[in-house]
Amino acid sequence: MISTRKPRIGLALGSGSARGWAHVGVLRALEQAGIKPDLVCGTSIGALVGAAYAAGELDRFEQWLHGLRMTDVLSFMDLHLSGGVIKGERLMEFFRHNFVDRPVEELTMPFAAVATALHSGVEVWLREGSTINAVRASIALPALFTPVDHEGQLLVDGGLVNPVPVSLARAMGADVVIAVDLNSDILGRHLRNEHEPVTPFSEVSAWISKLQDNLSAIIPALANDEPPPPSMLDIVTASISIMQVRISRSRMAGDPPDIVVTPRLAYLGLLDFHRTKEAIEEGKRAVEMVLPQLRTLLDEFPSARK
């Protein structure tokens, strides 16, 4: 006899820095289509949005996002000279004061975050304890955020090992996995050409480039007639993006999701967190592109799994 139970839907939210606000659009589009995930997991920015959703705080979280300005982004940057540019404590303190930090195991739906053990390179699944601490570990992007000490291990961004955590969603019991890959269109578009307009790119990156120019003027040895190199932030972004794209492709080839949602947001810079509206709208558009395929898959379950 063929089972008629509904499939357990898992959502795997990928890494992607400021492009991560597209995850909110993905969740809204699924909600509008009447499709409710049974569990959610995330890497890096995907862990942050996934935690807000699993905690039942998505409405308040989205409201905060729409009020976010570049000055707010800069205010969260508690600069630090060892371990990473940003300690991340100001950002986490904001969430502790404005959102309830419940244990992961007490959220309204199953949730988990991915981090990486810095010394061993082991993938770490954070499925219990403080939700905010789990998110803080998952978003600890090397060279930008300082690592997190967790049970004797230094943890950094989960995107180093599992940028789109399909395997974790499967381990959590998902029958159907919807993966959101924020890096699918990033290769070849992460460094700005000097002739392109500055507007579509990160204001922070432009600020760092200006700082480099000023240093060149102060220190003659740094000044020459050659075109200026990309900023440090651009180089870090490009390098990490290349790595994550390659890892994502390899891991999803070995453990493919049932549906892949691919927002096209390569033009957003690493810290363009203030560009909320366009990221959310692109997340909605990306879901609309795969919605017929998703409906067919869910309607045909479990025969579609054979």
Side-chain angles (χ1 to χ4, degrees):
M1 181 177 178
I2 298 177
S3 172
T4 58
R5 73 175 178 88
K6 291 182 179 180
R8 188 170 167 80
I9 301 171
L11 196 56
L13 303 180
S15 59
S17 301
R19 298 186 298 279
W21 299 157
H23 290 317
V24 176
V26 169
L27 289 163
R28 292 306 190 196
L30 291 174
E31 183 180 76
Q32 188 173 6
I35 298 170
K36 181 175 174 56
D38 298 286
L39 59 92
V40 61
C41 60
T43 295
S44 196
I45 195 70
L48 176 58
V49 177
Y53 181 63
E57 295 274 13
L58 190 63
D59 289 344
R60 282 211 305 142
F61 184 74
E62 184 178 0
Q63 183 179 13
W64 173 70
L65 291 183
H66 281 294
L68 200 59
R69 300 291 179 264
M70 175 52 73
T71 52
D72 299 312
V73 176
L74 294 175
S75 73
F76 289 130
M77 294 186 182
D78 40 354
L79 299 183
H80 196 255
L81 295 179
S82 63
V85 176
I86 304 169
K87 289 179 66 177
E89 294 308 316
R90 287 183 188 171
L91 181 61
M92 292 302 107
E93 277 305 309
F94 171 84
F95 283 112
R96 287 189 180 95
H97 281 100
N98 290 276
F99 298 91
V100 177
D101 182 21
R102 282 182 284 166
V104 171
E105 57 271 32
E106 294 180 13
L107 297 178
T108 57
M109 71 165 54
F111 167 76
V114 180
T116 305
L118 186 60
H119 290 105
S120 65
V122 169
E123 180 177 343
V124 178
W125 291 350
L126 300 168
R127 303 181 65 174
E128 58 184 24
S130 165
T131 299
I132 287 180
N133 288 347
V135 169
R136 173 65 182 86
S138 188
I139 67 172
L141 190 67
L144 188 62
F145 281 94
T146 54
V148 172
D149 189 347
H150 175 76
E151 296 181 355
Q153 295 187 98
L154 282 180
L155 300 184
V156 293
D157 196 301
L160 296 179
V161 290
N162 199 353
V164 186
V166 176
S167 56
L168 176 52
R170 298 269 187 224
M172 294 171 69
D175 298 308
V176 172
V177 176
I178 303 170
V180 185
D181 183 2
L182 301 175
N183 299 312
S184 63
D185 66 332
I186 199 73
L187 287 184
R189 300 185 64 185
H190 31 254
L191 290 179
R192 181 172 63 87
N193 186 293
E194 62 178 322
H195 301 296
E196 292 176 346
V198 176
T199 305
F201 293 85
S202 170
E203 295 174 30
V204 175
S205 181
W207 178 83
I208 292 176
S209 294
K210 186 179 292 185
L211 178 61
Q212 288 181 328
D213 292 341
N214 291 339
L215 284 174
S216 296
I218 296 170
I219 306 173
L222 295 178
N224 52 52
D225 295 329
E226 297 179 3
S231 74
M232 177 186 68
L233 191 61
D234 282 336
I235 292 171
V236 169
T237 304
S239 301
I240 292 174
S241 294
I242 290 169
M243 175 196 70
Q244 292 193 353
V245 168
R246 298 302 184 190
I247 294 172
S248 296
R249 289 179 180 177
S250 176
R251 295 208 57 160
M252 287 197 291
D255 189 4
D258 299 281
I259 297 290
V260 184
V261 180
T262 56
R264 315 293 285 183
L265 289 167
Y267 61 87
L268 286 189
L270 180 71
L271 298 176
D272 281 342
F273 292 106
H274 59 298
R275 301 176 69 176
T276 301
K277 183 177 179 181
E278 55 198 291
I280 290 177
E281 289 303 315
E282 177 58 19
K284 293 178 181 178
R285 186 207 64 81
V287 170
E288 290 170 1
M289 296 293 291
V290 301
L291 197 53
Q293 179 187 356
L294 177 57
R295 288 194 186 281
T296 299
L297 177 66
L298 296 178
D299 288 344
E300 293 180 352
F301 184 87
S303 59
R305 303 291 297 161
K306 293 182 178 180

